Amino acid sequence: MDKNDSNFRQTQPIMFDGMALPPIPPLLKDAKKRFEEIRNMEYRKGDIILAIYLKSGTHWVWEIVCMLLKQKAEYSKEPKELFFLEAMPDLSMVENMESPRAVNTHLPYRWLPKQHIENGGKIVHVVRNPKDVCVSLYHHMKSSEEIREIKDFKTFYETVFMNPNAKLMDGWYKYEKDFEQAEKNDTGGTIFTVHYESLKTNPITEISRLAEFLNINLKDQDIAEIADKCSFKKLKLANDTIKDHSILDIGEKSIGEKIKEFMYRKGEIGDWKNHFTVAMNEHFDAVYKEEMKDSHIKIQFE
């Protein structure tokens, strides 16, 4: 075992199917069981799955999808985590949800519910600049105390995000390339992909595209109101004042309050420039060029 692999395993002990997983209770208990439960979930017409890599806008897009389904710019009182497939205490909760059901996951494409894919269920996917993903993931894991042994960003970059032995949730490269291939094979148009940066700079245009994908007809004013309510500043305020995070608590553990404190940080484009050194950036660009040489994904780095 090399040094990078050893360091990573000290901070991220759950390994399954060749990838490292976040320390979520159901995964800590039995990752294989939870993954198989998700893959064997029963499909219901109208189901929507948000399948998005870590720190790539899941909270943001989930709120947008919920508003589109309600056809009004109204925040959901329930936090996104309540419908997070990996973290649900029991997946029977999905069965009790009213249709159309919108759930979210960070699982790679090969582990998504088989029935959902076979029946042409809709999948919403977001691609974000991996440099910003790296920075956001570092701050998230540091705030949630998942990486106590890693004291600085450079160490995280080398031992976790860019470590070929780590493969956090399959690693960004494989995760996105597998989704790219799935979309190429998607003859039914069931996968909707939006770039985080496009949604940030042109929210009305991208939300209109998403509404069309979901077969939802709304007036331009309604779309504009949803875009406004889902700005980072207003979502963060809603997270602090409207969301009922207490429903996530288990026993005496205030999980909901802890999540509330660190889930929203900046939501900016280009924050990587405040963290990457010139040498790190050159290293990243070289690795990216090699990893993505056969990919047609157009990442918006600037």
Side-chain angles (χ1 to χ4, degrees):
M1 183 183 296
D2 65 25
K3 181 180 178 182
N4 283 351
D5 192 39
S6 176
N7 285 345
F8 183 77
R9 288 178 184 274
Q10 290 174 18
T11 61
Q12 196 63 270
I14 316 171
M15 302 296 295
F16 174 70
D17 192 29
M19 59 182 150
L21 310 176
I24 299 170
L27 302 185
L28 284 167
K29 184 177 181 181
D30 192 338
K32 183 175 185 289
K33 178 183 178 183
R34 176 48 58 98
F35 269 59
E36 291 179 345
E37 287 175 341
I38 292 173
R39 187 156 64 178
N40 295 323
M41 274 176 50
E42 290 190 9
Y43 171 75
R44 189 190 299 171
K45 186 177 181 181
D47 282 354
I48 302 164
I49 294 179
L50 280 69
I52 305 170
Y53 193 72
L54 304 161
K55 307 310 295 178
S56 296
T58 310
H59 283 78
W60 183 21
V61 178
W62 181 81
E63 199 74 50
I64 291 172
V65 168
C66 288
M67 288 186 183
L68 288 174
L69 292 176
K70 289 183 287 190
Q71 300 193 32
K72 56 183 175 180
E74 179 181 281
Y75 297 114
S76 296
K77 186 177 181 181
E78 301 86 1
K80 183 226 62 146
E81 287 77 12
L82 189 65
F83 309 99
F84 180 33
L85 296 179
E86 291 92 297
M88 286 181 171
D90 190 331
L91 279 188
S92 64
M93 295 171 62
V94 179
E95 299 173 12
N96 298 324
M97 291 173 62
E98 295 183 3
S99 292
R101 304 182 297 185
V103 295
N104 63 93
T105 179
H106 296 315
L107 265 59
Y109 184 82
R110 67 181 179 279
W111 282 101
L112 296 185
K114 291 175 62 178
Q115 285 190 21
H116 188 91
I117 294 171
E118 291 168 355
N119 287 278
K122 294 184 181 297
I123 298 170
V124 176
H125 179 59
V126 182
V127 180
R128 187 183 187 185
N129 174 359
K131 295 179 183 179
D132 278 336
V133 172
C134 179
V135 170
S136 184
L137 189 56
Y138 164 70
H139 285 287
H140 174 96
M141 296 180 76
K142 186 177 179 181
S143 297
S144 61
E145 299 181 343
E146 293 175 29
I147 52 171
R148 295 179 186 177
E149 296 88 348
I150 298 178
K151 303 300 182 182
D152 56 65
F153 176 71
K154 183 176 183 292
T155 304
F156 174 82
Y157 171 87
E158 294 174 348
T159 64
V160 180
F161 197 79
M162 298 299 284
N163 179 2
N165 297 308
K167 298 178 182 177
L168 183 58
M169 237 12 158
D170 241 10
W172 185 91
Y173 293 108
K174 179 169 173 49
Y175 188 98
E176 294 301 351
K177 285 188 289 186
D178 284 357
F179 249 100
E180 180 184 23
Q181 187 58 50
E183 196 162 8
K184 287 179 181 177
N185 299 334
D186 177 30
T187 57
T190 60
I191 300 176
F192 174 91
T193 296
V194 61
H195 284 262
Y196 183 101
E197 295 76 19
S198 296
L199 185 58
K200 187 82 173 177
T201 55
N202 300 296
I204 293 177
T205 298
E206 296 303 326
I207 293 173
S208 295
R209 277 206 314 124
L210 179 54
E212 183 178 355
F213 171 75
L214 297 175
N215 299 317
I216 295 171
N217 296 313
L218 288 177
K219 296 178 181 178
D220 292 345
Q221 181 181 346
D222 296 324
I223 296 291
E225 288 179 5
I226 291 175
D228 178 63
K229 283 286 187 73
C230 291
S231 67
F232 183 85
K233 184 177 181 180
K234 291 188 176 181
L235 272 182
K236 190 175 189 302
L237 180 62
N239 183 66
D240 294 339
T241 59
I242 297 175
K243 299 290 183 184
D244 181 10
H245 293 86
S246 66
I247 58 181
L248 302 174
D249 295 343
I250 301 175
E252 297 180 1
K253 296 182 179 180
S254 299
I255 296 175
E257 192 63 30
K258 189 173 180 63
I259 290 174
K260 173 183 174 181
E261 291 174 1
F262 65 76
M263 196 53 67
Y264 287 83
R265 191 179 69 91
K266 285 187 176 182
E268 294 180 354
I269 297 173
D271 192 33
W272 65 269
K273 296 175 185 177
N274 299 318
H275 295 74
F276 278 60
T277 63
V278 172
M280 290 167 66
N281 191 47
E282 289 177 348
H283 172 261
F284 183 96
D285 288 348
V287 173
Y288 181 90
K289 183 178 180 180
E290 176 61 26
E291 287 279 355
M292 305 298 281
K293 61 186 178 183
D294 298 320
S295 171
H296 296 288
I297 298 175
K298 302 298 182 184
I299 296 298
Q300 299 177 33
F301 285 109
E302 298 297 333

